[in-house]
Amino acid sequence: MSTRIITLLTDFGSEDYFVAAMKGVILTRSPKSVLVDITHAIPPQDVQAAAFTLRRVYPYFPTGSIHLAVIDPGVGSDRRPVLIDAAAHLFVGPDNGLFTLVLEEVPTARIRHLTNTAYFLPHRSSTFHGRDIFAPVAAALAEGVPPENFGPAIQDPARFQIMRSESMPDGSVAGRIIHIDHFGNCVTNLECDRLLPLLSTRSFYLQVREFQIRKLAGSYYEGAAQPGRPFLICGSAGLLEISIWSSSTAKELNFKLGEPVLLYTACIAHRPLEDL
Amino acid sequence: MSTRIITLLTDFGSEDYFVAAMKGVILTRSPKSVLVDITHAIPPQDVQAAAFTLRRVYPYFPTGSIHLAVIDPGVGSDRRPVLIDAAAHLFVGPDNGLFTLVLEEVPTARIRHLTNTAYFLPHRSSTFHGRDIFAPVAAALAEGVPPENFGPAIQDPARFQIMRSESMPDGSVAGRIIHIDHFGNCVTNLECDRLLPLLSTRSFYLQVREFQIRKLAGSYYEGAAQPGRPFLICGSAGLLEISIWSSSTAKELNFKLGEPVLLYTACIAHRPLEDL
Amino acid sequence: MSTRIITLLTDFGSEDYFVAAMKGVILTRSPKSVLVDITHAIPPQDVQAAAFTLRRVYPYFPTGSIHLAVIDPGVGSDRRPVLIDAAAHLFVGPDNGLFTLVLEEVPTARIRHLTNTAYFLPHRSSTFHGRDIFAPVAAALAEGVPPENFGPAIQDPARFQIMRSESMPDGSVAGRIIHIDHFGNCVTNLECDRLLPLLSTRSFYLQVREFQIRKLAGSYYEGAAQPGRPFLICGSAGLLEISIWSSSTAKELNFKLGEPVLLYTACIAHRPLEDL
């Protein structure tokens, strides 16, 4: 049995003993597992934020990795604990939408309801399934227990409605700010793959509230030429971001999560393309 | 020699190089040790908060684990550095009360004064014993050096006075809020084991300032039925907590650490049991 | 090939997936590497703060360690990615001054421009070289690829001007506050090695704005004798610090990073040595 990586993603913060209790449970049952924190600073109970983070990071881990994700407002209710096998990555956590973006990307994923209590801690609280159910299941997976041992396959995992960008009748593309990162960059749901070819051949602007953003930078550093001015950039998540050189866009322009954005390109623009 | 786990618990924060310096010292001297952070966000110099966290988390680690705890306002004074062997777990840190709750739980614990400087860094500062004394001692333990090599046994470790719940003459139980977690849940020192049998057979309320809390939920999710309303729950630490669904109790009700709570049960209640 | 330590130092914060993506890349390519976080809370784009932290911590790691440092405001510009071999430690990151203090300490360091794209991720963004260039290079180093394979030696690494303490014509020593730690201690650039002999034989005071600090404590605890009063101490970084017992000096006295300090000793003092 080779060493297995177990990643941890929670909204538990880092000031309590919660995350360490999970790690203690795992290392007791699977001493050679390698533990890697994704983050424990997901906003409390924000399943969608966690789904975004998980989707963006898991492909950088080796296949066979086990991803333990515990954002679990329904702990103690009848929401199911689940195990997902998707593209040779394993995911363990509550069935509350956390895995929506993974399931969208890997339609062939197999999902199981964790019903075999033999793999749980013997005494289970109704408040901390991360420690009592998900951590020991992850440890058992790391020790080579096959997925089918944990419970029956299911076909109806919980999913939230994905906020997608939309092509509008006038040819513009409507999206939203779906993530604000540590630097204050505002990540939209406009996909680079789809839009960069368009932006490279047409004039365009992105309307966000009263702002019209016309510059597409190839790197953050290009934005340094016009300090204080927002620009677009294709970020590391493959999504269009709004940035300001050496500054927090979110703070400077007071942009919020969920803020609508609208991308106009030249041949469809109904407004004059003045400079910002 | 099998791999040993060394946990780290400090008030050093995570923005400085302090924790990493300790880890570097350990890995230099014990390259195969597995390091696990408990937390480094203990409020500066709050020995009691650290004692609470340590007590709640160490039992989830395998026996043989070494727990390095450095909340050390007296560094450089004559407070002793100690090693504690309790229930097959080893604890290393300053003798300032940090281990009070472990010692209470394990009366057979053996305590040693770390006097053998052969296991310390050759050059010791008077400001950072975490790096210069405790980390290299933990590494030596992980490498199999027996406890008796580090110094003589002592019988008088420092202890703080434990804040216990008390049965009052009128039959009520007086306690306090002893911890506020990342979600704002207010953890009291009322023990579930002792009180749940009582609460399941009698009517009751918990008085906290002007609030009377009457609901005992089996899970956080049960609290969702009455949004915004505080309820009691037996938390993952085995203690009664005050929670509000999807919200921070501490912020909503402005409850503070140390806040007194008083549990009345029906046959002894002197006040009418109106709803909150 | 023995296990190699890879340390990580960034300004990425801990709420995003950025650090975990780097770790995933490393563990995919070098599964046995041991990853140790220095900190990810360097103020955004503060190359000098990162240089300070790196310089203070790397010597505590075993030789052969690989130090991955990504504070990279110029990502996507023509700033070079570099590899530095200094005193048997390896450093990987952008050539923007990050390694100034290491290079000053180890004048024999060999520096290479990372030009061999065979060791980078196949698809490289212009926004996240930590993941796409530096992490895979660190992994390759951990796997034993020799430094010369990564690119040609260079002689002109970027350096910032080091803020040094200066002897003034009147015999005083002028310095600055160059770091404020988690506890609010204000670390100056006055070196203990050089100044302690002086301070132990003469009367002295340190002038910081309107404050004259005259006490030199041997430990933080000594400061407890005069609560609320600032004192000097030789901190764990080998530099004079200004501290207040059990309190944040930076908050209490509103001292800022960069604040000038001036050390007067008795025979040169032009002002009466009243008590603070």
Side-chain angles (χ1 to χ4, degrees), chain A residues 1 14 21 40 48 50 84 97 120 133 138 172 195 201 206 218 232-233 235 238-240 249 263 268:
Chain A
M1 195 63 217
S14 50
H40 303 292
Q48 297 199 20
I84 292 172
F120 303 170
I133 294 181
S172 66
L195 292 170
T201 55
L206 186 77
L232 299 179
I233 186 165
L239 297 169
L240 272 189
T249 308
L263 182 71
I268 53 92

Side-chain angles (χ1 to χ4, degrees), chain C residues 18-41:
Chain C
F18 303 144
V19 173
M22 291 173 64
K23 292 180 177 177
V25 167
I26 293 170
L27 292 171
T28 300
R29 294 165 166 244
S30 179
K32 289 189 184 304
S33 289
V34 171
L35 304 180
V36 181
D37 296 307
I38 305 296
T39 178
H40 303 291

Side-chain angles (χ1 to χ4, degrees), chain C residues 140-242:
Chain C
L141 285 165
E143 290 299 295
V145 175
E148 54 270 28
N149 286 28
F150 292 91
I154 58 171
Q155 309 293 339
D156 60 342
R159 295 169 190 246
F160 57 76
Q161 199 182 349
I162 299 173
M163 222 188 269
R164 292 180 208 280
S165 63
E166 281 181 84
S167 293
M168 305 305 282
D170 68 355
S172 65
V173 182
R176 289 185 184 272
I177 293 173
I178 59 167
H179 182 69
I180 294 174
D181 76 14
H182 176 69
F183 298 96
N185 298 313
C186 297
V187 182
T188 73
N189 58 353
L190 302 177
E191 295 180 358
C192 299
D193 279 358
R194 175 182 160 204
L195 293 170
L196 283 191
L198 196 69
L199 301 188
S200 63
T201 56
R202 298 186 178 186
S203 69
F204 65 87
Y205 63 87
L206 186 77
Q207 184 90 35
V208 192
R209 289 214 318 265
E210 69 272 31
F211 300 95
Q212 293 175 3
I213 305 168
R214 292 159 193 283
K215 183 177 170 63
L216 176 69
S219 71
Y220 293 119
Y221 189 74
E222 265 185 41
Q226 296 183 298
R229 228 181 203 187
F231 57 90
L232 298 179
I233 187 165
C234 181
S236 62
L239 297 169
L240 272 188
E241 295 179 13
I242 310 161

Side-chain angles (χ1 to χ4, degrees), chain A residues 51-66:
Chain A
F52 174 84
T53 295
L54 185 61
R55 163 67 188 81
R56 292 300 157 186
V57 78
Y58 90 83
Y60 291 97
F61 284 88
T63 54
S65 293
I66 298 157

Side-chain angles (χ1 to χ4, degrees), chain A residues 11-18 20-21 23-25 27-28 40 44-45 73-77 121 125-128 131, chain B residues 5 34 36-39 41 52-53 56-57 60-62 179-183 218-221 233-237 245-246:
Chain A
D11 60 352
F12 293 169
S14 50
E15 68 269 39
D16 286 302
Y17 63 87
F18 304 144
K23 291 181 178 178
V25 167
L27 292 172
T28 300
H40 303 292
Q45 315 188 338
V75 63
S77 73
L121 289 201
S125 70
S126 59
T127 56
F128 193 3
R131 178 190 66 193
Chain B
I5 291 170
V34 171
V36 181
D37 297 305
I38 305 299
T39 178
F52 174 84
T53 296
R56 293 299 156 187
V57 78
Y60 291 98
F61 284 87
H179 182 69
I180 294 175
D181 76 15
H182 176 70
F183 298 96
S219 71
Y220 293 119
Y221 189 74
I233 186 165
C234 181
S236 62
W245 167 248
S246 201

